Each structure stands twice: as structure tokens, then as C-alpha cells.
Amino acid sequence: HMKKLYLLGEVARLLDTAGVQVRPHQIAYALANQLVPEPALRIGNKRVFTDEDIDRLREYFRSPKAVVK
């Protein structure tokens, strides 16, 4: 079946409902600075996230060493 794909704003909302308070710019910062691996997929130069990417971000932002700017 088709994998569900998400854009940055949706990812921030999903993390928020999972109890991880994070804004889209904080996710973009973590990715741009290689604190979390970039999603493999881009469509029209926009990052496209899979459930696996979201799991990685959730783990990162839940950890005490997360750099949140």
C-alpha cells in the first residue's frame, strides 16, 4: 500500500499531538544542521516526510540533548 507522506507543517502538528512541542522552523534547523537525518524525499524542493522520518524526529526532540533554536 502507499506510504503516507507529510509536509513540514503537518509533521510539526503530528509531533505536537504526540506531546512533543516543536515548531516547523525548529525541525528545519535540526535537519539543516544534520542533528537528524534529512528525509530522503523532496518534491519541488520541499522536504517530504515518511512515518519513519517522523519517528526519528520524535526521538530527537524528546531527548534531553535536543538542540532547540
Side-chain angles (χ1 to χ4, degrees), residues 7-8 28 31 38-49:
L7 292 174
L8 187 58
L31 295 168
E38 283 276 359
L41 199 55
R42 278 184 178 257
I43 295 175
N45 210 29
K46 283 194 188 304
R47 294 179 179 102
V48 180
F49 299 81

Side-chain angles (χ1 to χ4, degrees), residues 6-65:
Y6 308 89
L7 292 174
L8 187 58
E10 296 173 291
V11 173
R13 267 197 305 283
L14 286 168
L15 290 174
D16 205 34
T17 57
V20 181
Q21 285 268 299
V22 62
R23 300 285 154 256
H25 74 270
Q26 295 169 321
I27 296 170
Y29 177 90
L31 295 168
N33 289 281
Q34 281 115 45
L35 302 169
V36 185
E38 283 276 359
L41 199 55
R42 278 184 178 257
I43 295 175
N45 210 29
K46 283 194 188 304
R47 294 179 179 102
V48 180
F49 299 81
T50 62
D51 289 314
E52 291 82 8
D53 294 315
I54 294 172
D55 289 340
R56 263 197 297 278
L57 287 163
R58 185 183 303 111
E59 288 306 304
Y60 173 74
F61 283 106
R62 277 202 173 139
S63 90
K65 63 179 190 301

